[in-house]
Amino acid sequence: HRPTGEWDTVPSVARRYKAAGIPWVVVGDNNYGEGSSREHAAMEPRHLGGRAIITKSFARIHETNLKKQGMLPLTFKEGVDYEKVKPSDKVSLIGLKDIAPGKPITCRLAHEDGSTEDIQLIHSLNEHQLEWFRAGSALNRMKELNAQI
């Protein structure tokens, strides 16, 4: 929990961030989500206020499920950038309002020593999947479209 410096489980910290209205991200390694292709595995981070999962790579089905839940599945453009992220960093995703298919996202890491570092993240979202993200999930987007009928 970055504000207090206390270490705890991811779900516990996520609940604290959600209660405080602080969006958060997960940083993972290779093949993130392997073995957790169920919708619930992607639903819980969104329910707890998560905005993005940043990894070296995703398990294919899990990446799709994250998209359906309105989460941003992002990968490091350069795999070595994974090593730049520290547990105490504040992570900011820059320019999300301008997100577009094939357009990289800038991730700003604010390190504990006060220095900052920008790295590039990439995604595989198409325009329809970006509508899911903007609406909060595919189901929310369907609700919006039905309301227009």
Side-chain angles (χ1 to χ4, degrees):
H1 187 254
R2 192 171 189 285
T4 64
E6 297 172 11
W7 291 91
D8 206 341
T9 64
V10 172
S12 177
V13 170
R15 284 184 191 90
R16 291 172 73 179
Y17 281 139
K18 181 180 180 178
I22 301 170
W24 52 271
V25 302
V26 168
V27 178
D29 205 333
N30 287 307
N31 208 22
Y32 181 90
E34 177 184 21
S36 35
S37 61
R38 295 185 350 241
E39 293 285 332
H40 185 76
M43 195 180 311
E44 188 165 351
R46 182 181 66 89
H47 171 71
L48 292 174
R51 295 297 181 262
I53 309 293
I54 304 168
T55 68
K56 289 183 182 178
S57 67
F58 285 97
R60 181 185 51 81
I61 294 171
H62 188 64
E63 180 179 14
T64 299
N65 287 341
L66 288 168
K67 291 174 183 181
K68 289 177 187 176
Q69 292 302 322
M71 295 287 293
L72 284 178
L74 303 169
T75 55
F76 295 97
K77 185 174 183 181
E78 302 295 331
V80 295
D81 285 344
Y82 171 81
E83 302 300 330
K84 296 177 181 178
V85 182
K86 307 298 178 222
S88 59
D89 286 349
K90 179 180 179 185
V91 176
S92 298
L93 301 176
I94 310 300
L96 285 184
K97 65 179 173 38
D98 299 319
I99 190 170
K103 183 178 179 183
I105 301 291
T106 298
C107 175
R108 181 158 297 141
L109 305 173
H111 301 300
E112 201 169 32
D113 65 3
S115 66
T116 60
E117 191 167 7
D118 288 353
I119 59 175
Q120 294 295 300
L121 305 174
I122 55 176
H123 64 86
S124 62
L125 293 124
N126 61 38
E127 190 53 50
H128 291 292
Q129 293 164 336
L130 287 170
E131 290 175 5
W132 300 345
F133 167 68
R134 292 181 190 110
S137 71
L139 192 58
N140 288 348
R141 180 62 180 142
M142 290 186 333
K143 182 180 175 182
E144 288 175 355
L145 291 172
N146 282 335
Q148 296 172 4
I149 297 175

